[in-house]
Amino acid sequence: MKKLLLGVVFSALMSSSALAAKIGVSMALFDDNFLTVLRNGMIEQAKGMEGVELQVEDAQNDVAKQLDQIKNFVASGVDAIIVNPVDTSATQAMSDAAAAAKVPLVYVNREPVNVDTLPDNQAFVASNEVESGTLETQEVCRLFKEAGKTEANVYVIMGELSNQAAVQRTKDIDDVIATPECSFIKIIDKQTSNWKREEAQNLMTNWLSTGTPFDGVIANNDESAIGAIQAMKAANVDMKSVVVGGVDATQDALSAMQAGDLDVTVFQDAAGQGAGALDAALKLSKGEAVEQKVYIPFQLVTPANIDKFLQKN
């Protein structure tokens, strides 16, 4: 089942001591701007709840380490587990470990490969990635049209190829470009930066060294878009001559947009996802039923509406 979550209300939870629970949280990586907002959102939410304790661990982008963390949570007697997966194709073993111990588990932000076969006491909270790359690329297309372009060449920077979000966002880009309205856009090349700013900067530097004319960069996330922007500015590219898009609406991305360097991003509600995951974990720990797919909507961010998002991620 799918549920569109437009707002998460926790006042009843926060006033009840009957929900005393210990929740184990395994994050894919602490050193990530977006995931830091998500993690901090969960921590702050838990602080306002009587009797709710979070044990938060950094998997350091290591699948084996993350599986060990889940097993350790089980052994320590947690009431529920929240997982932000390192590798979304490796989640079956995590689900199996939690299910064998009858400990509820909630995946957050990154869609597990086994999302359609989760046990009744497991769930997934995130945003629907079909929206993210679609909103981004449609706006890039609109900006090209607004500039009067009948042909546009772009580079695509992908996230980690093992990550469902990167795969889906890249598919979104391809799907939008395949429509009659945006078929004038051509992809010159697409490569991964593994979500990282530095890798995207190096990738863009290499592309620039070829001298190939281009009109824009469509990135799977803001960190990659910012890396590309840094490379272009270092090469004295006129940022007004190119369209650059990202996803997440991080604070650094919004600053880049205010500076006139980033043209479009897509707000992914990190705090909302974290709060939704904590809510689901607490309910499952009490034996309550929850929707197994809870989606927090993506929202398009442009210079025209940026003020609405400056204080969010």
Side-chain angles (χ1 to χ4, degrees), residues 112-133:
V113 67
N114 56 320
V115 68
D116 292 322
T117 59
L118 294 175
D120 289 341
N121 68 340
Q122 296 187 16
F124 168 56
V125 179
S127 298
N128 189 344
E129 292 297 349
V130 174
E131 299 174 4
S132 57

Side-chain angles (χ1 to χ4, degrees), residues 215-283:
D215 302 284
V217 176
I218 307 177
N220 280 175
N221 71 323
D222 286 338
E223 283 294 286
S224 297
I226 292 169
I229 288 168
Q230 290 174 333
M232 286 186 276
K233 294 182 80 168
N236 295 316
V237 173
D238 180 2
M239 296 308 298
K240 293 180 180 178
S241 70
V242 294
V243 174
V244 183
V247 176
D248 286 337
T250 63
Q251 287 300 309
D252 285 353
L254 298 180
S255 295
M257 183 172 285
Q258 289 178 309
D261 299 328
L262 183 69
D263 299 282
V264 55
T265 185
V266 181
F267 174 65
Q268 183 175 195
D269 191 346
Q273 288 183 13
L278 182 55
D279 180 43
L282 289 169
K283 286 178 178 177

Side-chain angles (χ1 to χ4, degrees), residues 90-288:
T91 52
Q92 186 63 59
M94 301 176 193
S95 284
D96 290 346
K102 298 182 180 179
V103 177
L105 184 149
V106 177
Y107 292 102
V108 64
N109 181 252
R110 297 177 175 181
E111 182 176 304
V113 67
N114 56 320
V115 68
D116 292 322
T117 59
L118 294 175
D120 289 341
N121 68 340
Q122 296 187 16
F124 168 56
V125 179
S127 298
N128 189 344
E129 292 297 349
V130 174
E131 299 174 4
S132 57
T134 299
L135 289 169
E136 174 192 19
T137 310
Q138 286 175 340
E139 178 64 7
V140 169
C141 175
R142 189 193 70 78
L143 290 171
F144 282 147
K145 285 184 173 180
E146 187 176 78
K149 292 187 180 293
T150 55
E151 292 184 2
N153 296 315
V154 300
Y155 286 113
V156 172
I157 304 180
M158 300 179 289
E160 291 177 0
L161 301 183
S162 63
N163 192 289
Q164 181 272 342
V167 173
Q168 184 61 56
R169 291 177 190 180
T170 303
K171 183 179 184 299
D172 296 341
I173 295 169
D174 292 334
D175 288 348
V176 171
I177 290 175
T179 63
E181 296 81 7
C182 301
S183 60
F184 65 93
I185 302 174
K186 306 298 179 187
I187 296 175
I188 308 170
D189 193 11
K190 60 172 73 167
Q191 292 189 40
T192 181
S193 68
N194 294 304
W195 302 122
K196 296 178 181 177
R197 185 183 302 195
E198 183 179 353
E199 289 189 30
Q201 184 173 2
N202 292 337
L203 177 58
M204 192 72 225
T205 299
N206 291 338
W207 279 334
L208 289 166
S209 70
T210 69
T212 304
F214 68 100
D215 302 284
V217 176
I218 307 177
N220 280 175
N221 71 323
D222 286 338
E223 283 294 286
S224 297
I226 292 169
I229 288 168
Q230 290 174 333
M232 286 186 276
K233 294 182 80 168
N236 295 316
V237 173
D238 180 2
M239 296 308 298
K240 293 180 180 178
S241 70
V242 294
V243 174
V244 183
V247 176
D248 286 337
T250 63
Q251 287 300 309
D252 285 353
L254 298 180
S255 295
M257 183 172 285
Q258 289 178 309
D261 299 328
L262 183 69
D263 299 282
V264 55
T265 185
V266 181
F267 174 65
Q268 183 175 195
D269 191 346
Q273 288 183 13
L278 182 55
D279 180 43
L282 289 169
K283 286 178 178 177
L284 287 172
S285 73
K286 296 194 303 172
E288 296 180 8

Side-chain angles (χ1 to χ4, degrees), residues 54-68:
L54 295 190
Q55 180 182 340
V56 186
E57 302 288 345
D58 182 2
Q60 299 177 330
N61 248 10
D62 185 324
V63 175
K65 187 181 186 72
Q66 186 160 61
L67 182 56
D68 284 342

